[in-house]
Amino acid sequence: MQIPAYRGRFAPSPSGPLHFGSLIAALGSYLRARSQQGKWLVRIEDIDPPREVAGASSAILKTLEAYGLFWDETELYQSSRLDAYQARLDALLARGQAYYCQCTRKQIQAMNGSYNGHCASISPPHKEGAIRIHNNLAVERFEDQLLGEIVVDSDFAREDFIIKRRDGLYAYQLAVVMDDAYQGITEVVRGSDLLTSSARQAILFNLFDEAVPQWLHLPLACDKPGHKLSKQNHAPAIDLKAPQASIISALDFLGQPKVDIDAPEIMLAQAILQFRLDAIPKQQEIMLTPAQ
Ligand code: GLU
Ligand code: ZN
């Protein structure tokens, strides 16, 4: 079998400007792709309008450019893919691989926190509501390229999870898998906050008859345990005018050898040549000191 050429990606949500935590995901996925002569794509995950901040998409792209993180091909906006998501949902419903659910949060809590498939077998079936996948393919373990074998909770692995929300928005799990397949992504590199999501995504790749990509989860930048830097908790934007200092800190965070201070592209070129996967800390969270 021919191994497809490496294709990686960075998939920010436009809920605010890039901060140090998202720079780690951008830089880590970029270095990994470029160190294998691979392509590196950017996808804007803009399918959650209530969480979107006006101007964030273009601010993110401008920041990537200022940091020398130039991507291949044209960036993909998930908002341009809604018809494809709906067509897939229609097909899954028609084949009985998904079903409508109207259970309330309270009902689900009474099921011990994990959905028990209640609406899969009611008669007559619901014709509206959230849409859940019929999960017959439970993935309980997968290999992470950095962390090794990952085992997820078996109730979590077996749950019929949501692929379209009750408010009509397409769920992240559906859109991310359809688009990673659409863009031919061979390896997903991102933060460890999405580690268990990979088990769910593997289920969808299998259900859609698509090749499952490799997974690589980077340590998360946190300000305290269990508390990642995020746009939601107002992590400061990284400085557009002084990329060098942030690049140095991000490389250090990823355990990578030092580079000389220069134009961002030149610093990244050196970082690509020196890239060492095995130097990335194998932990899911790293606390930042205030200076970072
Ligand atoms: N859009 C997601 C986020 O910003 C990342 C999705 C992914 O990398 O799979 O958290
Ligand atoms: Zn239900």
Side-chain angles (χ1 to χ4, degrees):
M1 201 176 80
Q2 207 191 345
I3 299 170
Y6 188 103
R7 288 170 71 84
R9 53 46 158 205
F10 172 55
S13 306
S15 51
L18 279 195
H19 53 80
F20 187 74
S22 36
L23 176 63
I24 297 300
L27 183 66
S29 58
Y30 174 88
L31 294 177
R32 172 78 167 159
R34 294 296 191 229
S35 66
Q36 305 194 45
Q37 290 78 46
K39 298 266 192 248
W40 185 67
L41 312 187
V42 169
R43 180 170 71 234
I44 303 289
E45 305 214 314
D46 56 346
I47 48 165
D48 193 348
R51 284 181 50 195
E52 216 171 291
V53 170
S57 300
S58 62
I60 290 171
L61 297 176
K62 278 206 194 82
T63 306
L64 292 175
E65 286 171 339
Y67 276 66
L69 292 161
F70 296 106
W71 57 97
D72 295 303
E73 304 174 10
T74 310
E75 62 279 9
L76 179 68
Y77 288 82
Q78 288 196 316
S79 55
S80 71
R81 297 266 299 145
L82 304 184
D83 291 348
Y85 305 148
Q86 189 57 49
R88 177 58 60 79
L89 286 173
D90 292 343
L92 292 170
L93 288 166
R95 284 191 231 120
Q97 290 173 318
Y99 62 90
Y100 287 104
C101 165
Q102 294 186 358
C103 294
T104 61
R105 189 166 299 182
K106 216 169 159 189
Q107 280 171 297
I108 296 168
Q109 265 159 10
M111 301 169 188
N112 285 329
S114 151
Y115 187 71
N116 66 10
H118 174 261
C119 295
S121 51
I122 53 165
S123 175
H126 295 304
K127 294 203 160 49
E128 55 186 28
I131 300 178
R132 290 181 182 273
I133 197 82
H134 254 302
N135 181 358
N136 303 320
L137 299 162
V139 171
E140 293 190 23
R141 51 189 75 222
F142 64 90
E143 194 64 24
D144 183 275
Q145 297 304 307
L146 178 66
L147 302 170
E149 184 175 57
I150 304 296
V151 181
V152 301
D153 175 76
S154 89
D155 286 342
F156 177 84
R158 283 163 205 286
E159 192 180 67
D160 288 350
F161 57 88
I162 287 183
I163 49 176
K164 188 175 190 180
R165 290 164 29 176
R166 196 215 307 244
D167 60 9
L169 296 179
Y170 299 99
Y172 158 69
Q173 305 291 10
L174 177 80
V176 75
V177 169
M178 284 187 62
D179 290 344
D180 281 334
Y182 178 69
Q183 296 189 285
I185 300 304
T186 59
E187 184 177 72
V188 169
V189 181
R190 60 186 171 201
S192 287
D193 50 334
L194 292 165
L195 186 64
T196 53
S197 275
S198 297
R200 298 208 150 161
Q201 292 169 21
I203 293 168
L204 294 182
F205 279 103
N206 288 326
L207 186 67
F208 302 162
D209 241 336
E210 299 281 359
V212 185
Q214 295 200 302
W215 310 105
L216 198 173
H217 293 87
L218 303 170
L220 270 191
C222 293
D223 56 0
K224 47 183 188 246
H227 198 250
K228 71 162 179 162
L229 297 187
S230 75
K231 295 159 196 160
Q232 282 73 46
N233 65 30
H234 309 295
I238 48 173
D239 194 344
L240 206 61
K241 296 204 187 69
Q244 282 88 352
S246 302
I247 292 174
I248 298 272
S249 308
L251 287 170
D252 184 54
F253 183 93
L254 289 170
Q256 299 301 303
K258 292 202 182 332
V259 298
D260 304 321
I261 306 255
D262 208 318
E265 298 87 300
I266 297 178
M267 294 171 75
L268 295 185
Q270 190 184 350
I272 292 166
L273 291 175
Q274 300 177 164
F275 179 71
R276 281 185 50 199
L277 177 61
D278 62 358
I280 300 176
K282 291 180 192 48
Q283 59 200 83
Q284 291 183 32
E285 293 185 348
I286 296 180
M287 300 314 132
L288 293 185
T289 53
Q292 284 175 312

Coordinates of all heavy atoms in Angstrom, one line a residue, residues 77-109:
Y77 N -13.2 27.4 5.1 CA -14.2 27.9 6.1 C -15.3 26.8 6.3 O -15.9 26.5 5.3 CB -14.8 29.2 5.7 CG -13.8 30.4 5.7 CD1 -12.9 30.6 4.7 CD2 -13.8 31.2 6.9 CE1 -12.0 31.6 4.8 CE2 -12.8 32.2 6.9 CZ -12.0 32.4 5.9 OH -11.0 33.5 6.0
Q78 N -15.5 26.4 7.5 CA -16.5 25.4 7.7 C -17.9 25.9 7.3 O -18.8 25.1 6.9 CB -16.5 24.8 9.1 CG -15.3 24.0 9.4 CD -15.4 23.1 10.6 OE1 -15.8 23.6 11.7 NE2 -15.0 21.9 10.6
S79 N -18.1 27.2 7.4 CA -19.4 27.8 7.1 C -19.7 27.6 5.6 O -20.9 27.7 5.2 CB -19.4 29.3 7.4 OG -18.3 29.9 6.8
S80 N -18.7 27.2 4.8 CA -19.0 26.9 3.4 C -19.4 25.5 3.2 O -19.6 25.0 2.0 CB -17.8 27.3 2.5 OG -16.7 26.3 2.7
R81 N -19.4 24.7 4.2 CA -19.6 23.2 4.1 C -21.0 22.8 4.6 O -21.2 21.6 4.8 CB -18.5 22.5 4.8 CG -17.1 22.8 4.2 CD -16.7 21.8 3.2 NE -16.6 20.5 3.9 CZ -16.9 19.3 3.3 NH1 -17.3 19.3 2.0 NH2 -16.7 18.2 3.9
L82 N -21.9 23.7 5.0 CA -23.1 23.3 5.7 C -23.9 22.3 4.8 O -24.5 21.4 5.4 CB -23.9 24.6 6.0 CG -23.2 25.6 6.9 CD1 -24.1 26.8 7.3 CD2 -22.5 25.0 8.1
D83 N -24.0 22.5 3.5 CA -24.8 21.6 2.7 C -24.2 20.2 2.8 O -25.0 19.2 2.8 CB -24.8 22.1 1.2 CG -25.6 23.4 1.0 OD1 -26.3 23.8 2.0 OD2 -25.5 24.0 0.0
A84 N -22.9 20.1 2.8 CA -22.3 18.8 2.8 C -22.6 18.1 4.2 O -22.9 16.9 4.2 CB -20.8 18.9 2.6
Y85 N -22.6 18.9 5.3 CA -22.9 18.3 6.6 C -24.3 17.8 6.6 O -24.6 16.7 7.1 CB -22.7 19.3 7.7 CG -21.3 20.0 7.8 CD1 -21.2 21.3 8.3 CD2 -20.2 19.3 7.4 CE1 -20.0 21.9 8.4 CE2 -18.9 19.9 7.5 CZ -18.8 21.2 8.0 OH -17.6 21.8 8.1
Q86 N -25.2 18.6 6.1 CA -26.6 18.3 6.1 C -26.9 17.0 5.2 O -27.6 16.1 5.6 CB -27.5 19.4 5.6 CG -29.0 19.2 5.9 CD -29.3 18.9 7.3 OE1 -28.9 19.6 8.2 NE2 -30.1 17.8 7.6
A87 N -26.2 17.0 4.1 CA -26.4 15.8 3.2 C -26.0 14.5 3.9 O -26.6 13.5 3.8 CB -25.6 16.0 1.9
R88 N -24.9 14.6 4.6 CA -24.4 13.5 5.4 C -25.4 13.0 6.4 O -25.6 11.9 6.6 CB -23.0 13.8 5.9 CG -22.4 12.7 6.8 CD -22.2 11.4 6.1 NE -21.3 11.4 4.9 CZ -20.0 11.3 4.8 NH1 -19.3 11.4 5.9 NH2 -19.4 11.3 3.7
L89 N -25.9 14.0 7.2 CA -26.9 13.7 8.2 C -28.1 13.1 7.6 O -28.6 12.1 8.1 CB -27.3 15.0 8.9 CG -26.3 15.6 9.9 CD1 -26.8 17.0 10.4 CD2 -26.1 14.7 11.1
D90 N -28.6 13.6 6.5 CA -29.8 13.0 5.8 C -29.5 11.6 5.5 O -30.3 10.7 5.7 CB -30.1 13.8 4.6 CG -30.7 15.2 4.9 OD1 -31.0 15.5 6.1 OD2 -30.7 16.1 4.0
A91 N -28.3 11.3 4.9 CA -28.0 10.0 4.5 C -27.9 9.0 5.8 O -28.4 7.9 5.7 CB -26.6 9.9 3.8
L92 N -27.3 9.5 6.8 CA -27.2 8.7 8.1 C -28.6 8.4 8.6 O -28.9 7.2 9.0 CB -26.4 9.4 9.1 CG -24.9 9.6 8.8 CD1 -24.2 10.5 9.9 CD2 -24.1 8.2 8.9
L93 N -29.5 9.4 8.6 CA -30.8 9.2 9.1 C -31.6 8.2 8.2 O -32.2 7.3 8.7 CB -31.6 10.5 9.1 CG -31.2 11.5 10.2 CD1 -31.8 12.9 9.9 CD2 -31.7 11.0 11.6
A94 N -31.4 8.3 6.9 CA -32.1 7.5 6.0 C -31.6 6.0 6.1 O -32.4 5.1 6.0 CB -31.9 7.9 4.5
R95 N -30.4 5.8 6.5 CA -29.8 4.5 6.6 C -30.0 3.9 8.1 O -29.5 2.9 8.4 CB -28.4 4.4 6.3 CG -28.1 4.5 4.8 CD -26.6 4.2 4.6 NE -26.0 5.2 3.7 CZ -25.0 6.0 4.1 NH1 -24.4 5.9 5.3 NH2 -24.5 6.9 3.2
G96 N -30.7 4.7 8.9 CA -30.8 4.2 10.3 C -29.5 4.3 11.1 O -29.4 3.6 12.1
Q97 N -28.6 5.1 10.6 CA -27.3 5.1 11.4 C -27.3 6.3 12.4 O -26.3 6.5 13.1 CB -26.1 5.2 10.4 CG -25.9 3.9 9.6 CD -24.9 4.1 8.5 OE1 -24.9 5.1 7.8 NE2 -24.1 3.1 8.4
A98 N -28.4 7.1 12.4 CA -28.5 8.2 13.3 C -29.9 8.4 13.6 O -30.8 7.8 12.9 CB -27.9 9.5 12.7
Y99 N -30.2 9.0 14.7 CA -31.7 9.2 15.1 C -31.8 10.5 15.9 O -30.9 11.1 16.4 CB -32.1 8.0 15.9 CG -31.4 7.8 17.2 CD1 -31.8 8.4 18.4 CD2 -30.2 7.0 17.2 CE1 -31.1 8.2 19.6 CE2 -29.5 6.8 18.4 CZ -30.0 7.4 19.6 OH -29.3 7.2 20.8
Y100 N -33.1 11.0 15.9 CA -33.4 12.2 16.6 C -33.6 11.9 18.1 O -34.1 10.8 18.4 CB -34.7 12.8 16.1 CG -34.6 13.5 14.7 CD1 -35.0 12.9 13.6 CD2 -34.0 14.7 14.6 CE1 -34.9 13.5 12.3 CE2 -33.8 15.4 13.4 CZ -34.3 14.7 12.3 OH -34.2 15.4 11.0
C101 N -33.2 12.8 18.9 CA -33.3 12.7 20.4 C -33.9 13.9 21.0 O -33.4 15.0 20.6 CB -31.9 12.4 20.9 SG -31.8 12.6 22.7
Q102 N -34.8 13.8 21.8 CA -35.4 15.0 22.5 C -35.2 14.9 24.0 O -35.9 15.6 24.8 CB -36.9 15.1 22.2 CG -37.1 15.3 20.7 CD -38.6 15.6 20.3 OE1 -39.5 15.5 21.2 NE2 -38.8 15.9 19.1
C103 N -34.3 14.1 24.5 CA -34.0 14.0 25.9 C -33.5 15.4 26.4 O -32.7 16.0 25.8 CB -33.0 12.9 26.2 SG -33.7 11.3 25.9
T104 N -34.0 15.7 27.6 CA -33.5 17.0 28.2 C -32.2 16.7 29.0 O -31.8 15.5 29.3 CB -34.5 17.5 29.2 OG1 -34.7 16.5 30.2 CG2 -35.8 17.8 28.5
R105 N -31.5 17.7 29.3 CA -30.2 17.6 30.1 C -30.5 16.8 31.4 O -29.8 16.0 31.8 CB -29.7 19.0 30.4 CG -28.3 19.0 31.0 CD -27.7 20.4 31.0 NE -27.6 20.9 29.6 CZ -27.1 22.0 29.2 NH1 -26.6 22.8 30.2 NH2 -26.9 22.4 28.0
K106 N -31.7 17.2 32.0 CA -32.1 16.5 33.3 C -32.2 15.0 33.1 O -31.8 14.2 33.9 CB -33.4 17.2 33.7 CG -33.5 17.3 35.2 CD -34.7 18.2 35.5 CE -35.0 17.9 37.0 NZ -36.3 18.6 37.3
Q107 N -32.9 14.6 32.0 CA -33.1 13.2 31.7 C -31.8 12.5 31.6 O -31.6 11.4 32.0 CB -34.0 13.0 30.5 CG -35.4 13.2 30.7 CD -36.2 13.2 29.4 OE1 -36.0 14.1 28.5 NE2 -37.0 12.2 29.2
I108 N -30.9 13.2 30.9 CA -29.6 12.5 30.6 C -28.8 12.4 31.9 O -28.1 11.4 32.1 CB -28.8 13.3 29.5 CG1 -29.6 13.2 28.2 CG2 -27.4 12.8 29.3 CD1 -29.2 14.1 27.1
Q109 N -28.9 13.4 32.7 CA -28.2 13.3 34.0 C -28.7 12.1 34.8 O -27.9 11.4 35.5 CB -28.4 14.6 34.8 CG -27.2 15.6 34.7 CD -27.6 17.0 35.0 OE1 -28.6 17.3 35.6 NE2 -26.7 17.9 34.6

